[in-house]
Amino acid sequence: MASNVTPRVKVPATAKVGDVITIKTLISHPMISGQTKDKDGKPIPREIINRFTCDFNGKNVIDMTLDPAISTNPYIEFDAKIDAAGDFKFTWYDDDGSVYSDSKTIALG
Amino acid sequence: MKLSRRDALAVGIGGMALAVLAPAAYAAAEDAAIATFTGGAALGTGGLTLTLPEIAENGNTVPVSVDAPGAVAIMILAPGNPTPEVATFNFGPAAGSQKAGTRMRLAKTQDVIAIAKMSDGKFVKVTSTVKVTIGGCGG
């Protein structure tokens, strides 16, 4: 299991109804592709984050499938439409079964 | 085992045949990935933008973004990588736009492909060439 996996998410604190906001996420993770070898020449088994989802007040914003070609510390940027104040829930799914999550609240203003 | 001249020649030809076949194997993996995503539907053009640097100095982290207004899903493929799939974005009802960005690994200079599934069920494809100075898939 990957150690020190820390999700970081940037969401504006406030928005107006109808605004489209850009959300930026980064999670520290080695994203071992399965193509690399250790110093004895043995392949290092694949261990990546294979799925990322974002929901706003229970409605899905984005559901992304990640493959081994995604860089270390996966960065994901996308847009969400704000129709009310509420909570964003972010979830990352690891190959080893771990689930990492984060949430952010946005207010109207 | 002792190799006669004839055997040595046969091994040489076999090796060359393998070398020729290898790119075909890559293309097959790419076509299979496209077929899985589109279900064999015809690929149109237009309405999809794939933003990539022209030259990527470091293949370990190449910024990529896709934008296709009206799309329900967008897939990114790098056919020159050991496995062609890079990522698939599925946009939900709360998405502000059908636009997303991430960072990917590219093993070598290649034509990166993006395919978008539009809300009317049509598929569009766009490709863009990236020159990679240092490949980024380990080895």
Side-chain angles (χ1 to χ4, degrees):
Chain A
M1 135 144 216
S3 56
N4 299 323
V5 176
T6 319
R8 266 169 287 172
V9 178
K10 210 169 171 184
V11 175
T14 60
K16 292 185 180 68
V17 171
D19 274 3
V20 170
I21 58 159
T22 299
I23 297 173
K24 295 173 181 183
T25 74
L26 186 79
I27 184 163
S28 52
H29 192 283
M31 296 291 277
I32 301 163
S33 69
Q35 302 289 337
T36 46
K37 293 188 173 80
D38 63 14
K39 42 182 198 296
D40 303 325
K42 285 196 295 246
I44 305 170
R46 167 185 144 154
E47 207 229 303
I48 64 166
I49 286 171
N50 55 46
R51 184 170 171 228
F52 164 75
T53 62
C54 171
D55 294 298
F56 179 57
N57 289 343
K59 278 196 295 180
N60 181 251
V61 179
I62 196 165
D63 184 341
M64 178 188 178
T65 308
L66 290 82
D67 288 292
I70 296 293
S71 302
T72 305
N73 304 336
Y75 166 80
I76 306 161
E77 184 183 329
F78 54 92
D79 292 345
K81 198 176 170 78
I82 302 302
D83 48 13
D87 299 315
F88 281 100
K89 190 168 170 16
F90 305 91
T91 318
W92 292 260
Y93 299 85
D94 196 306
D95 268 353
D96 69 6
S98 313
V99 175
Y100 316 106
S101 59
D102 198 0
S103 60
K104 289 276 181 231
T105 303
I106 191 163
L108 293 179
Chain B
M1 194 182 93
K2 194 167 170 286
L3 277 180
S4 70
R5 268 172 59 118
R6 189 166 296 176
D7 287 341
L9 200 62
V11 167
I13 290 169
M16 270 188 275
L18 268 182
V20 172
L21 279 175
Y26 273 131
E30 166 202 340
D31 290 343
I34 294 174
T36 312
F37 185 67
T38 64
L43 297 172
T45 51
L48 170 62
T49 316
L50 173 63
T51 311
L52 280 163
E54 209 167 293
I55 298 171
E57 283 187 8
N58 181 358
N60 268 313
T61 169
V62 182
V64 55
S65 67
V66 285
D67 185 4
V72 290
I74 304 176
M75 178 174 69
I76 305 171
L77 293 173
N81 280 6
T83 53
E85 294 92 347
V86 175
T88 307
F89 301 98
N90 297 291
F91 300 101
S97 69
Q98 281 66 42
K99 189 166 90 178
T102 185
R103 292 174 188 149
M104 65 177 173
R105 296 173 174 142
L106 291 177
K108 58 181 184 188
T109 298
Q110 57 184 286
D111 293 334
V112 175
I113 302 173
I115 298 175
K117 182 186 186 181
M118 294 306 191
S119 48
D120 59 3
K122 290 202 176 84
F123 290 89
V124 294
K125 176 183 164 180
V126 67
T127 60
S128 178
T129 306
V130 185
K131 286 201 172 95
V132 178
T133 317
I134 306 165
C137 275

